[in-house]
Amino acid sequence: MEVIITDDKEETNEHMHSSQEKTELYFAMLCGIFLVIGFLIQKFTNFNNTFFLSSYIFSYFFGGYFITIDAYKKIIKGGFDIDFLMIAAAAGAFYIDKWAEGSLLLFLFSLGHALEHFAMNKAKKSIEALSTLSPKTALIKRNEILEEILITDLKINDIIVVKPNTKIAADGVIIRGRSSINQAPITGESIPVDKFFIESTFNLPAFKDIDKNHVVFTGTINGDSSIEVLVLKLSKDSTVSRLIKMVSEVETQKSPTQRVTKTFEKWYVPIVILVVFLLCFAYVFVDESFNQSLYRAITVLVAASPCALAISTPSAVLSGIARAAQKGVLIKGGKALEDLGEITTIAFDKTGTLTEGKPKLTHVIPLNNCDEKAFVELVLEVENLSNHPLAKAIVNDIKIKYQIKAKNKASKVNAIQGKGMSAVYNNEVVLIGNTKLIEDSGITINDIVKSKMESLLKHGHTVMIVAYKSEILGLISVMDIPRKTAAGTLKHLKSIGIKHMVMLTGDHQNVGNAIAKQIGLTGVKGNLLPEDKVTEIKKLIKRDKKIAMVGDGVNDAPAMALSTVSVAMGAAGSDVALETADIALMSDKIENLPFVIGLSRASKRIIKQNIWISLGVVVLLVPVTVLGLTNIGLAVLFHEGSTIVVVINALRLLRFNLNN
């Protein structure tokens, strides 16, 4: 499906597809009506044969119309599929004057065909419904004047006004106002997320790197307050457009089971044709007429046709992918869906995956009788002069925790590479950094300070000493803390059969160990460069055959590419994550991972059930029909019944919940 959200051609194609689906069902019903009319005339009247024969011919026309078209499309490409087998069976029945049986065959097969398409399209429409997310127009602000335009006419850096309780028309950043945004259509989050304006749009980073508190996506729904949004992506490049396009393309990516069944059908159908052809001449060896042998062959042809097998896997795959899309998860094809269901080992990136991805001030420890308030004021003044990420985290957390603001009392800040920083505060030198910085300045670090530092370092904290007037005033520590939901998620994963959960991180081993202990990981590897992570993935694959790796889809691309299934978190807004990952969680909520794995396992389970049902019916019917113990009518009922059963079984995935 070519996706340009406001494209009229797309809507026309969808309408035509829906119209054909209805026509196919109407033709099947007309086939049945003419079958009944013909049967009643033949059995209960003395009319000329022309009357009931004409009715059967009409029945054949309506029942065989779409089947013949589908069969022809395959034949001209050199393939013989199930539709061809059904047409051949109906033609054979007509040849031996079994018009009613032939019409019944076409009626039930065309009805099954129509219902199958209806059921499959139900799953497809769950995906295509995404295309209705985006509004058609946007309210643009130019020279303080509001104007309504098509979203296709929006340009980068346009400013759009989003009124309360309306859909957001473009991916961008809020520059005025604050509101609660319902992101469920994109990320699957059930609770609206508070968003507010960015203080400055000067020198903005890449869209994916902007703080999520300021970013909004096309198709999400504004809350009760009006906001203004700076457009950063065109409609064709928006997150929702890319999501729709990729989900719509997943049908081309066959699952392992689909490939096996396709290969099976490729050899099976010609064998069935050969066997049926030979059965036509059974009268040479057994005491029966040619017509009886032909009737038996036609019945076997119906019984042996693997209709249910052909639809069993794609219906389940499509339903599973559609259900995932409803929950804000993009699964790229049947292979990723099936493979994830077999995983028992998961490797996690640390930063932004198991942790918040932002350092937090964890400890403020005044020493030598230093007043805590005076201590944090000094730290705030000095760190406020630095642009280092750790300094920004310290400043932000001190402001929030202690409710104080910087008064610009410090000056002459100097970053000392690999050690820390120095500054002047009240005409005296302040040092904030590691032990090397302090010792190089001639200040002695006593055993009490060393003991407190070692304790914090052991638990994964980054510790800095604060010295003023050549005296140690205290310690501060920061740490990238675990996500609040990480421990519960890992526990949930363990309960559904994930045996090994390993964290791969470039941070110090102590940091990794501390995080692992808090959240319940089974293993951790620290001090890893990107190439080291690839080596670790290879080791895990050698041990466990199949593994999944969960990360942001960007920083650990080589390791994720090597894993059996790569899962990117927080993919909304990240083009790289959407392109590279096999599975993309549109929100950055790690708690969605158990749902995806549960869905994959349910999909694989239903695929197996469908295959057993479809093959079971064939194995049961073929011997019975070869021995002539049943007629075409019963064979068709069982045959088409199994097709409907596997489709309905697959559609159960559209209602999947992990607690099922």
Side-chain angles (χ1 to χ4, degrees):
M1 181 172 70
E2 181 67 22
V3 178
I4 300 175
I5 293 180
T6 57
D7 194 348
D8 290 336
K9 184 178 179 181
E10 173 69 25
E11 293 178 1
T12 302
N13 289 341
E14 186 177 333
H15 177 74
M16 290 175 62
H17 190 75
S18 177
S19 178
Q20 180 176 325
E21 181 186 316
K22 290 179 181 178
T23 304
E24 192 172 6
L25 186 58
Y26 294 151
F27 271 37
M29 298 311 296
L30 285 170
C31 172
I33 290 169
F34 281 108
L35 164 62
V36 172
I37 292 171
F39 181 78
L40 292 175
I41 293 173
Q42 183 182 13
K43 294 295 182 182
F44 301 106
T45 72
N46 295 319
F47 292 166
N48 189 287
N49 289 359
T50 306
F51 288 96
F52 68 79
L53 189 56
S54 298
S55 188
Y56 286 136
I57 289 172
F58 277 116
S59 179
Y60 261 66
F61 170 78
F62 287 114
Y65 181 80
F66 285 104
I67 304 170
T68 304
I69 290 173
D70 287 347
Y72 174 74
K73 288 177 181 177
K74 297 286 176 60
I75 290 170
I76 60 175
K77 293 179 181 178
F80 293 90
D81 71 348
I82 297 151
D83 293 326
F84 172 77
L85 298 184
M86 293 298 101
I87 292 295
F94 198 88
Y95 175 77
I96 59 174
D97 294 337
K98 297 292 183 178
W99 308 296
E101 283 89 340
S103 292
L104 177 64
L105 165 63
L106 289 176
F107 166 61
L108 291 175
F109 188 71
S110 62
L111 181 62
H113 223 255
L115 293 175
E116 172 191 311
H117 287 170
F118 174 80
M120 288 291 285
N121 285 328
K122 182 177 176 64
K124 289 181 183 178
K125 284 173 182 175
S126 295
I127 295 171
E128 291 168 357
L130 292 169
S131 63
T132 65
L133 292 177
S134 180
K136 303 292 185 185
T137 60
L139 199 59
I140 191 170
K141 186 177 184 180
R142 289 175 179 159
N143 300 320
E144 299 303 317
I145 297 174
L146 296 182
E147 177 187 354
E148 190 171 18
I149 66 170
L150 294 173
I151 65 166
T152 49
D153 294 334
L154 282 174
K155 297 180 177 61
I156 301 295
N157 293 327
D158 277 345
I159 296 173
I160 59 173
V161 176
V162 186
K163 292 185 176 180
N165 304 310
T166 61
K167 289 183 179 179
I168 295 170
D171 285 13
V173 62
I174 300 174
I175 59 172
R176 181 174 294 177
R178 57 180 65 226
S179 188
S180 292
I181 309 295
N182 180 357
Q183 297 192 140
I186 303 297
T187 65
E189 295 169 280
S190 58
I191 300 173
V193 180
D194 291 334
K195 305 269 186 174
F196 56 93
F197 66 92
I198 194 168
E199 292 186 358
S200 172
T201 57
F202 177 73
N203 200 23
L204 278 175
F207 184 75
K208 68 180 180 64
D209 295 326
I210 300 174
D211 190 321
K212 291 291 191 289
N213 289 322
H214 311 307
V215 169
V216 292
F217 302 110
T218 305
T220 55
I221 303 164
N222 188 21
D224 294 331
S225 302
S226 182
I227 56 174
E228 292 184 14
V229 175
L230 180 70
V231 176
L232 297 181
K233 286 191 177 186
L234 300 177
S235 64
K236 64 183 177 66
D237 299 321
S238 69
T239 298
V240 69
S241 290
R242 298 179 69 83
L243 175 62
I244 298 163
K245 183 175 186 293
M246 290 180 178
V247 174
S248 300
E249 288 173 348
V250 298
E251 287 182 87
T252 62
Q253 302 179 39
K254 304 297 184 187
S255 74
T257 307
Q258 277 178 281
R259 292 194 183 99
V260 170
T261 54
K262 281 293 178 186
T263 303
F264 174 77
E265 288 173 41
K266 181 180 178 181
W267 292 100
Y268 179 77
V269 171
I271 291 171
V272 168
I273 294 172
L274 177 62
V275 170
V276 168
F277 176 77
L278 294 175
L279 283 172
C280 291
F281 300 97
Y283 70 93
V284 175
F285 303 99
V286 296
D287 185 20
E288 63 184 19
S289 66
F290 169 72
N291 280 2
Q292 288 174 317
S293 292
L294 185 58
Y295 184 82
R296 187 207 310 269
I298 293 167
T299 308
V300 171
L301 184 59
V302 173
S305 296
C307 295
L309 181 65
I311 198 65
S312 60
T313 304
S315 60
V317 167
L318 193 59
S319 296
I321 290 170
R323 177 56 178 156
Q326 291 170 357
K327 299 285 282 186
V329 179
L330 169 61
I331 300 179
K332 294 186 184 176
K335 185 178 187 305
L337 182 70
E338 285 197 39
D339 283 345
L340 188 63
E342 298 177 357
I343 296 296
T344 57
T345 298
I346 301 177
F348 293 91
D349 177 36
K350 179 184 80 72
T351 306
T353 302
L354 293 174
T355 65
E356 297 286 352
K358 298 175 183 177
K360 297 285 185 182
L361 179 66
T362 53
H363 289 85
V364 173
I365 307 174
L367 299 171
N368 299 324
N369 299 316
C370 178
D371 178 69
E372 183 174 347
K373 185 177 180 182
F375 178 65
V376 295
E377 283 179 352
L378 180 148
V379 172
L380 174 62
E381 294 294 341
V382 175
E383 296 285 8
N384 194 50
L385 298 177
S386 173
N387 287 320
H388 193 281
L390 290 183
K392 288 184 176 181
I394 291 167
V395 168
N396 183 61
D397 289 349
I398 285 177
K399 285 180 178 179
I400 293 172
K401 183 176 180 179
Y402 293 93
Q403 295 294 301
I404 58 175
K405 293 182 179 179
K407 298 176 182 177
N408 301 318
K409 291 183 179 180
S411 61
K412 297 181 181 179
V413 67
N414 179 34
I416 304 167
Q417 188 68 35
K419 296 180 182 179
M421 63 189 292
S422 67
V424 173
Y425 180 75
N426 289 340
N427 298 318
E428 298 286 349
V429 175
V430 178
L431 300 172
I432 302 179
N434 58 23
T435 54
K436 189 166 180 57
L437 173 67
I438 303 302
E439 289 172 345
D440 287 352
S441 301
I443 301 172
T444 302
I445 304 173
N446 61 40
D447 291 341
I448 294 174
V449 174
K450 287 181 179 178
S451 175
K452 289 183 180 296
M453 285 187 69
E454 286 173 5
S455 175
L456 291 170
L457 289 169
K458 185 178 180 181
H459 290 90
H461 299 266
T462 299
V463 186
M464 287 158 275
I465 303 173
V466 180
Y468 180 54
K469 296 180 182 180
S470 299
E471 180 184 352
I472 294 176
L473 293 188
L475 305 173
I476 56 174
S477 68
V478 295
M479 186 179 184
D480 185 8
I481 61 174
R483 290 177 179 271
K484 293 178 181 178
T485 56
T489 299
L490 296 187
K491 187 176 181 181
H492 201 167
L493 289 172
K494 187 176 180 180
S495 71
I496 62 173
I498 302 299
K499 298 176 182 176
H500 307 288
M501 293 171 282
V502 182
M503 182 169 70
L504 307 179
T505 178
D507 281 349
H508 193 279
Q509 185 70 38
N510 284 348
V511 175
N513 290 340
I515 298 290
K517 187 176 181 180
Q518 290 180 62
I519 63 177
L521 287 163
T522 58
V524 58
K525 297 286 184 178
N527 302 311
L528 299 179
L529 297 172
E531 55 267 33
D532 298 326
K533 291 185 179 182
V534 170
T535 302
E536 291 299 326
I537 292 293
K538 287 179 179 177
K539 290 179 182 177
L540 291 172
I541 290 175
K542 186 175 181 180
R543 186 190 73 183
D544 300 325
K545 308 305 179 188
K546 291 186 177 183
I547 73 155
M549 181 164 182
V550 184
D552 62 9
V554 182
N555 297 331
D556 297 303
M560 293 182 76
L562 186 63
S563 62
T564 313
V565 184
S566 58
V567 182
M569 282 179 50
S574 174
D575 295 343
V576 177
L578 285 173
E579 292 286 355
T580 58
D582 299 313
I583 295 173
L585 309 183
M586 302 307 290
S587 74
D588 62 354
K589 293 183 178 295
I590 193 173
E591 56 266 37
N592 286 340
L593 191 56
F595 167 81
V596 185
I597 293 174
L599 176 63
S600 299
R601 290 181 174 176
S603 300
K604 195 163 183 65
R605 187 165 59 249
I606 282 178
I607 287 170
K608 287 181 179 178
Q609 290 171 357
N610 283 353
I611 288 173
W612 278 108
I613 291 168
S614 53
L615 289 179
V617 169
V618 170
V619 169
L620 174 68
L621 279 181
V622 169
V624 172
T625 52
V626 166
L627 296 173
L629 300 178
T630 189
N631 57 33
I632 289 179
L634 283 175
V636 171
L637 283 172
F638 273 94
H639 179 270
E640 294 309 314
S642 65
T643 302
I644 299 301
V645 166
V646 299
V647 171
I648 292 173
N649 193 36
L651 288 178
R652 290 193 299 127
L653 287 169
L654 291 174
R655 300 175 64 86
F656 173 81
N657 285 306
L658 192 58
N659 295 327
N660 281 358

